[in-house]
Amino acid sequence: MKTKSPAKTYISEKYGLSIAIGLIIFFFLMRIFGLLYVVELRVMNIVIMIAGILTAIKTLRSKAPEEFTYFKGMGTGVLTGIIGSILFGLFVFFYVSFIDTGLMQNIIENEPMGRFMNPYIVSVVIVVEGIASALLVSFITMNYLDPTKLQ
């Protein structure tokens, strides 16, 4: 019976945490410079996600080339993005619930669907958006790094 390799899980955890840290740092930079309400700057979140997932998949390919298949690469990328998204969603939940409740109030007052928002919904939206991004980024990355094209 084949045992499960811990390489994929460790890589996903490491780079998922890196994604979350990158997103948190970017969040604080936007907060410091008063740019939290500039929606266009949020495109940088996908850049951070791409960097983390691409690095995770390339690390899996270099550390376990005999195990590197299309689906293991996809799984690593998606799991990395899920971990990063959940950690960032938890951070945002605690931030708007306990640290800066004024931000949550501002979202409620100024966003189109704000009256329906609360810290739970904001966090869930962030996690779902992050998971969708992770699926898309992993799909594109694995088509770029397709192991069948490496020979």
Side-chain angles (χ1 to χ4, degrees):
M1 183 175 205
K2 190 175 180 181
T3 60
K4 185 178 176 187
S5 170
K8 184 170 81 170
T9 304
Y10 169 75
I11 290 168
S12 295
E13 290 169 355
K14 177 181 176 183
Y15 292 105
L17 180 61
S18 297
I19 289 171
I21 290 169
L23 291 170
I24 291 168
I25 290 170
F26 183 62
F27 176 86
F28 279 123
L29 286 173
M30 287 178 57
R31 183 78 179 147
I32 289 168
F33 293 110
L35 300 171
L36 275 180
Y37 306 104
V38 180
V39 178
E40 292 80 10
L41 286 177
R42 294 182 190 159
V43 76
M44 286 300 294
N45 291 352
I46 193 73
V47 172
I48 294 167
M49 183 76 73
I50 290 168
I53 289 174
L54 182 62
T55 307
I57 292 172
K58 283 186 172 185
T59 301
L60 176 67
R61 183 174 71 176
S62 68
K63 287 193 175 188
E66 67 284 346
E67 291 183 28
F68 186 69
T69 63
Y70 183 85
F71 291 110
K72 287 190 180 184
M74 273 289 292
T76 298
V78 171
L79 184 58
T80 301
I82 288 172
I83 291 170
S85 298
I86 289 173
L87 292 174
F88 185 62
L90 287 171
F91 161 77
V92 170
F93 173 79
F94 285 107
Y95 187 82
V96 299
S97 294
F98 306 112
I99 298 171
D100 188 0
T101 55
L103 177 59
M104 187 68 235
Q105 190 59 40
N106 194 307
I107 290 170
I108 291 169
E109 292 171 0
N110 296 316
E111 294 300 319
M113 297 293 288
R115 64 185 177 173
F116 303 108
M117 294 292 187
N118 62 44
Y120 299 104
I121 293 174
V122 169
S123 300
V124 168
V125 167
I126 287 170
V127 170
V128 169
E129 181 182 282
I131 291 171
S133 297
L135 286 164
L136 183 63
V137 169
S138 298
F139 176 74
I140 291 169
T141 301
M142 281 311 299
N143 282 301
Y144 171 72
L145 298 175
D146 185 0
T148 60
K149 296 178 185 173
L150 297 176
Q151 284 108 22

